[in-house]
Amino acid sequence: MRRSSPFLAILVAGLAVAVSGSADASNGYSFGSNVDPSLVSTINSAQSSTSSNGNYHVLVFGGPGLTGPAGPPGPGPGPAPAPAGPGAAFAGFHWRDNDSNVGAVSATLTASQISQLSTNPTVQYLAPDLPMAPTALPGAPGQPVSRAAASAPLSGSQLASLYPQIDGAPALWSNGDTGTGVGVAVIDSGVTPRADFGSRLVQVELPTQDGNSVTDNVGHGSAVAGVVAGQSPDGRYIGVAPGATLYAIDVARADGVYTSDVIAGLNWVLQNAKADSIGVVNLSLSQTVPSSYYTNTLDAAIDLLWKQGITVVVSSGNFGPNSEEFAPANDPWAITVGASDSHDTAQTSDDTLADFSSYGTTPDGFSKPEIVAPGRHIVTTIPADSSIAKSAPAGYLVGSGEDNYVRISGTSFSSPQVAGAVALMLEQRPNLSPDQIKWILTNTETPLAGSNAGSLNLSGVASALAHPGTANSGYRWSNWAHPGANTTAFLTALGVKLQIQQDELNATTKDILAKASCLVAGLTPGSRSSSADAACAQHLDDAAAAWDRAAGDWGTSGKPANASTDEKNAAGDWQTAAADWRKAGNSARSTADAASQAAAWDQAAAWDHAATWDAATWDAAAWDEAAWDAAAWDAAAWD
């Protein structure tokens, strides 16, 4: 069952007490304490970067008057009708999203309108909605398949592309590890179906989309997806995890790609990860304005996924030395991936850090990236009618028509190699936490000339899977991902507390039904015992899943102790269910429940050790010279 997560509650809960006072602008506007200081700074600055009509893209976190059942009016030219409720005074505002999936409204507002909104009691917070761009180097010349249904071991003998060989992927393929049963979410410009993806491609349409087709008209998302999990029919072009299921989340929109669009994609993953076995997300894109991790909305959204056991892999960017200033590459928890230059040879002794690959220290003092993978002259899938295919110089397209492949460069195509590597690891050990995965990858990488981070080394991963350590020790979460003092009251106002109570009651009821069913099984003699044991096990599975949902609710509401207790209840039910499935003769279900039990205990332990952070401090980020224009999704790298 898919359930939503209250992003609004988590992002805003800590904000109500984090900022105080008001800001008086030199241009005569006054802003309340609920306006992000960086947004105020941008407006006040004599050099502030705005669009030609003086508008700003803003995320408005608000109450029923803005984001309630009626919702804001849809985007469109000219004045829009007023929303219902307390927000009725906002006639003439340009609301970008009709049905926000992130608990906020994305809006295009003037400084005067921002000032007006900041005085409205239903508005919790206003933050900049920053533009995003892909990390292909610009301007340079269905459902998951079970492992039992997987095909025979894949051979890399026909490979024409170098990066899988350099990464060491064929060694794992030969053992039957291709990422089968693992979902990989690619948040990008969409993915166009083709034989390389077969039935493993699921195209996702977000509620925030403005009517555009989910087919990839740009080509960037399709190229990224090919690196993760493509497999050409002739075996010449194969991604790192060719058995994984791809969830193509299309965030391309007519007016550009903004932070709110990407957060909507991340929120979809959070809601559907469990049902769709999504274990890893790839983000081959970047904000276009420097920021601190601690006050960045995109980083906060990534943290929420990481907390829920979903590994997030991001590209480092293509700005060269001392340029790790942009989200999401600046997130210390996520796995940030740089690009190496293979010099077009399969041997690794001549590999170096690609000259365009971003690296350095983030504004908050974290060294990035943590790992590097090939990023120059990557051959991957491309739709024939996409912008990238049409702009490719002669010699950079391989094949023809719908069988096109493109040779392209950028950290955009390094990141999905590591995302594919995560899928291979999760196929072997589904219960690995993101911190364990990051530890394994960074402790098995090989040295790379010119880089502090080493290269992806899948051949070394197998030996580290048995006894992984834990990465990110001592890191603190983003301020926005930490609920503040007003969390309980705020969640109650949103009705979240009621949802938690309902979920716990549901779990308790299912537990009672399970005990009754198992009592019957214990009293059932002879040939009927197998079916009775199966019924008992199924009821226990239902109860465990209900406790798990309740634990997730507590976790996202900032109550780790409650989350841990409910997760332990889930673990206990799964443990008992595993034994009853064995009695019923269903070894597959027994094994699956044993794995679920281990995962629940791991999650319970994680909640037990959840850190408690001091009140957030909201230092103004450096948004000067902000590029508020639409992102250039058709950027590509031809060198």
Side-chain angles (χ1 to χ4, degrees):
M1 179 178 180
R2 300 181 179 186
R3 60 183 171 85
S4 62
S5 178
F7 265 61
L8 171 60
I10 299 301
L11 292 181
V12 177
L15 297 179
V17 296
V19 185
S20 61
S22 61
D24 293 321
S26 59
N27 53 21
Y29 296 117
S30 179
F31 302 98
S33 60
N34 57 350
V35 182
D36 188 290
S38 63
L39 182 57
V40 175
S41 177
T42 299
I43 296 172
N44 288 349
S45 172
Q47 309 237 342
S48 62
S49 299
T50 65
S51 58
S52 58
N53 59 0
N55 288 340
Y56 299 85
H57 293 285
V58 180
L59 281 168
V60 183
F61 295 87
L66 295 175
T67 58
F90 305 132
F93 285 22
H94 182 100
W95 304 106
R96 188 165 179 262
D97 286 338
N98 182 49
D99 180 16
S100 175
N101 199 37
V102 299
V105 180
S106 176
T108 305
L109 306 174
T110 65
S112 175
Q113 290 170 330
I114 293 171
S115 176
Q116 181 185 352
L117 276 174
S118 73
T119 63
N120 187 281
T122 69
V123 175
Q124 298 291 331
Y125 203 72
L126 294 99
D129 188 8
L130 298 173
M132 307 292 300
T135 49
L137 188 62
Q143 292 294 314
V145 184
S146 68
R147 186 169 185 178
S151 58
L154 181 66
S155 170
S157 60
Q158 301 300 314
L159 278 174
S161 52
L162 295 175
Y163 69 86
Q165 304 172 58
I166 295 171
D167 294 339
L172 276 71
W173 301 341
S174 65
N175 292 329
D177 299 315
T178 61
T180 302
V182 180
V184 181
V186 175
I187 299 179
D188 214 290
S189 60
V191 177
T192 297
R194 57 185 287 159
D196 300 64
F197 306 128
S199 62
R200 296 177 294 109
L201 174 64
V202 179
Q203 294 175 298
V204 176
E205 183 174 2
L206 297 175
T208 55
Q209 280 181 299
D210 51 11
N212 288 346
S213 169
V214 292
T215 300
D216 184 13
N217 296 319
V218 177
H220 191 267
S222 295
V224 168
V227 176
V228 175
Q231 183 179 351
S232 66
D234 61 6
R236 288 171 55 80
Y237 304 107
I238 304 177
V240 172
T245 301
L246 287 163
Y247 289 87
I249 302 174
D250 185 0
V251 294
R253 295 178 62 169
D255 64 342
V257 181
Y258 288 87
T259 299
S260 55
D261 303 311
V262 180
I263 293 178
L266 292 168
N267 192 34
W268 185 92
V269 174
L270 194 62
Q271 293 179 45
N272 295 283
K274 199 170 190 70
D276 294 335
S277 300
I278 300 174
V280 57
V281 176
N282 184 84
L283 292 174
S284 289
L285 40 75
S286 175
Q287 286 185 345
T288 59
V289 179
S291 68
S292 165
Y293 153 75
Y294 294 114
T295 56
N296 187 281
T297 54
L298 178 58
D299 288 328
I302 289 172
D303 288 357
L304 293 175
L305 268 68
W306 198 273
K307 287 181 178 182
Q308 294 300 315
I310 304 165
T311 304
V312 182
V313 181
V314 306
S315 54
S316 70
N318 305 313
F319 305 105
N322 305 315
S323 59
E324 290 290 39
E325 303 175 307
F326 307 94
N330 66 349
D331 192 311
W333 294 84
I335 301 172
T336 303
V337 186
S340 64
D341 186 345
S342 70
H343 299 284
D344 296 329
T345 69
Q347 65 186 34
T348 58
S349 58
D350 63 345
D351 291 0
T352 60
L353 184 69
D355 56 6
F356 57 78
S357 184
S358 290
Y359 67 89
T361 303
T362 72
D364 305 302
F366 298 100
S367 179
K368 289 283 186 171
E370 291 92 353
I371 195 167
V372 174
R376 186 169 180 269
H377 292 174
I378 302 299
V379 179
T380 183
T381 51
I382 195 73
D385 59 352
S386 66
S387 301
I388 289 179
K390 291 176 180 178
S391 64
Y396 280 77
L397 289 180
V398 180
S400 61
E402 290 307 314
D403 294 324
N404 265 342
Y405 297 86
V406 66
R407 185 175 61 157
I408 196 167
S409 301
T411 57
S412 276
F413 314 108
S414 304
S415 174
Q417 293 171 54
V418 174
V422 174
L424 296 179
M425 296 163 66
L426 287 173
E427 180 185 12
Q428 297 176 66
R429 286 203 57 190
N431 297 327
L432 287 172
S433 71
D435 288 335
Q436 289 174 322
I437 288 170
K438 186 175 181 180
W439 185 93
I440 292 171
L441 289 171
T442 55
N443 280 271
T444 57
E445 60 189 20
T446 56
L448 176 69
S451 174
N452 289 331
S455 294
L456 173 63
N457 175 24
L458 281 168
S459 61
V461 162
S463 60
L465 285 173
H467 303 287
T470 302
N472 297 334
S473 177
Y475 288 0
R476 54 170 285 199
W477 296 108
S478 161
N479 292 342
W480 284 48
H482 162 59
N486 289 346
T487 297
T488 302
F490 189 65
L491 291 179
T492 301
L494 290 176
V496 174
K497 185 176 180 181
L498 177 61
Q499 181 63 51
I500 294 174
Q501 292 171 341
Q502 290 174 338
D503 282 350
E504 284 202 327
L505 177 61
N506 181 47
T508 302
T509 302
K510 289 183 181 297
D511 248 350
I512 294 172
L513 292 174
K515 288 176 182 177
S517 178
C518 293
L519 179 62
V520 171
L523 299 174
T524 303
S527 59
R528 296 169 56 194
S529 63
S530 178
S531 60
D533 286 330
C536 163
Q538 185 60 64
H539 280 297
L540 285 165
D541 274 0
D542 293 342
W547 283 119
D548 185 59
R549 282 193 295 275
D553 291 338
W554 280 120
T556 53
S557 67
K559 301 291 184 181
N562 302 71
S564 177
T565 299
D566 283 1
E567 204 69 77
K568 289 172 184 175
N569 289 334
D573 282 346
W574 264 311
Q575 181 182 31
T576 309
D580 283 296
W581 281 122
R582 282 197 301 274
K583 292 179 185 177
N586 193 328
S587 59
R589 291 294 294 270
S590 177
T591 301
D593 276 15
S596 295
Q597 176 208 355
W601 278 116
D602 287 346
Q603 187 62 51
W607 288 122
D608 280 339
H609 293 90
T612 302
W613 309 117
D614 295 331
T617 54
W618 300 96
D619 294 331
W623 304 116
D624 293 342
E625 305 300 323
W628 297 101
D629 295 333
W633 276 94
D634 59 354
W638 325 113
D639 54 4

